[in-house]
Amino acid sequence: PPRAHALRAAVSMLAADKLLLQSEVKNRSIVLREKELKLFNVNFSAVGTQAAIMAGFTLTSFVEIDLPPNREWAKCILHFCITTSICVNFLCVAMVTFVTVWGSGKALRGLDGSMDYAVDAMNDERTFIFICFGMGVLATLGCLLASSWVLMETEVAIIATLMIGSTMYLVCSEARRIRSEFYLAPEETVNFTELSSVYPPIGYSNENSRCTLVRMPSISSQASSQAMPQQSLMFKGASPAKGMRDD
């Protein structure tokens, strides 16, 4: 009958509007997460560049410096600080490279929901990267402190030690002050948990010593699977020929 035909058309239009709305919400959430991804890439690139500069400066000074035969304790401290500075700064550069390259690749080329997963994973890596960067800064200043006792006279080395120690204290105190000033508590940050329902749950499970991808059906597929039994119930019991005669 005409009423049944109109009802079927209305149901189809509502299902299409629902899928369109879900698609628009997903696209807008991807745009927001992409802004956060770009922010992480810019921050990590800045940290990695400064760490690479400090590592290159420390390595160059270690190769070019001529150590006197005396002051063995100062040379031991210098060698320890140089080794620490190079290792920590190179670790920071390596971690920044891994996170930005692999994280951005997964976010842009991964499965549906990879953008949300990659951005959250990059956010979790920030603490370790910033700790490595801070240790690299202090180790580089330690190299300068030890080299002052190796190359300078005692009186000049004492003055240099006071200046370098003051710089270390200012770096640590200002870092704590600025972090406390701009620190965001978990309840103050903008999160996208309310939009997580538009993505399929994505993660990794380690079964049988092999990393496998865990992915649940998407909302659109669930909606279509729920809509199909309803449509089949509407057409159940009516043959195509009878439906054509009724029309």
Side-chain angles (χ1 to χ4, degrees), residues 117-132:
Y117 177 83
V119 171
D120 291 337
M122 292 175 70
N123 187 27
D124 295 336
E125 298 294 336
R126 289 193 312 162
T127 302
F128 181 73
I129 292 175
F130 290 158
I131 289 175
C132 290

Side-chain angles (χ1 to χ4, degrees), residues 11 226-235:
V11 171
Q226 293 174 0
M228 286 182 65
Q230 298 176 358
Q231 294 178 1
S232 62
L233 289 175
M234 293 175 60
F235 290 100

Side-chain angles (χ1 to χ4, degrees), residues 26 111-113 196-203 214-219:
K26 183 182 294 186
L111 298 174
D112 189 16
S196 60
S197 59
V198 300
Y199 295 108
I202 185 171
V214 176
R215 183 182 180 187
M216 300 297 293
S218 61
I219 294 179

Side-chain angles (χ1 to χ4, degrees), residues 1-2 8 237-247:
R8 290 195 297 269
S239 62
K242 183 177 180 182
M244 291 179 64
R245 287 196 300 269
D246 292 338
D247 292 335

Side-chain angles (χ1 to χ4, degrees), residues 19 66 76 117 184 208 228:
L19 293 177
D66 294 328
C76 292
Y117 177 83
L184 290 174
N208 300 325
M228 286 182 65

Side-chain angles (χ1 to χ4, degrees), residues 54 57-58 61 74-85 134-150 161 164-165 167-168:
M54 289 189 295
F57 174 76
T58 305
S61 62
K75 290 191 291 185
C76 292
I77 296 176
L78 177 61
H79 291 160
F80 173 77
C81 291
I82 287 176
T83 305
T84 304
S85 176
M135 292 180 61
V137 172
L138 295 178
T140 304
L141 291 174
C143 295
L144 182 60
L145 177 63
S147 62
S148 64
W149 284 96
V150 172
T161 301
I164 297 170
T167 303
M168 288 182 175

Side-chain angles (χ1 to χ4, degrees), residues 27-239:
N27 291 333
R28 291 181 179 236
S29 64
I30 289 176
V31 171
L32 294 177
R33 298 297 267 177
E34 188 177 2
K35 291 181 179 180
E36 195 172 2
L37 177 66
K38 291 180 180 179
L39 176 64
F40 287 151
N41 285 332
V42 171
N43 292 340
F44 289 157
S45 298
V47 172
T49 301
Q50 300 301 321
I53 291 174
M54 289 189 295
F57 174 76
T58 305
L59 184 60
T60 303
S61 62
F62 175 71
V63 173
E64 297 294 334
I65 192 173
D66 294 328
L67 301 178
N70 53 354
R71 300 183 177 180
E72 297 295 333
W73 62 272
K75 290 191 291 185
C76 292
I77 296 176
L78 177 61
H79 291 160
F80 173 77
C81 291
I82 287 176
T83 305
T84 304
S85 176
I86 293 175
C87 292
V88 174
N89 284 315
F90 271 115
L91 179 61
C92 181
V93 174
M95 289 297 299
V96 167
T97 303
F98 297 155
V99 171
T100 54
V101 173
W102 291 335
S104 300
K106 181 176 182 60
L108 299 178
R109 302 177 60 190
L111 298 174
D112 189 16
S114 296
M115 175 70 75
D116 192 65
Y117 177 83
V119 171
D120 291 337
M122 292 175 70
N123 187 27
D124 295 336
E125 298 294 336
R126 289 193 312 162
T127 302
F128 181 73
I129 292 175
F130 290 158
I131 289 175
C132 290
F133 179 74
M135 292 180 61
V137 172
L138 295 178
T140 304
L141 291 174
C143 295
L144 182 60
L145 177 63
S147 62
S148 64
W149 284 96
V150 172
L151 301 175
M152 300 178 184
E153 298 295 332
T154 304
E155 296 79 7
V156 182
I158 292 174
I159 298 175
T161 301
L162 294 176
M163 296 177 63
I164 297 170
S166 300
T167 303
M168 288 182 175
Y169 173 76
L170 287 175
V171 168
C172 295
S173 62
E174 290 300 308
R176 293 181 61 184
R177 182 185 66 83
I178 295 173
R179 183 181 182 275
S180 62
E181 183 176 355
F182 296 103
Y183 176 73
L184 290 174
E187 62 272 8
E188 297 176 351
T189 57
V190 178
N191 55 63
F192 299 91
T193 55
E194 63 273 9
L195 299 178
S196 60
S197 59
V198 300
Y199 295 108
I202 185 171
Y204 291 93
S205 63
N206 192 1
E207 298 179 357
N208 300 325
S209 301
R210 184 176 61 182
C211 189
T212 57
L213 183 65
V214 176
R215 183 182 180 187
M216 300 297 293
S218 61
I219 294 179
S220 60
S221 61
Q222 292 177 358
S224 61
S225 62
Q226 293 174 0
M228 286 182 65
Q230 298 176 358
Q231 294 178 1
S232 62
L233 289 175
M234 293 175 60
F235 290 100
K236 186 176 180 181
S239 62

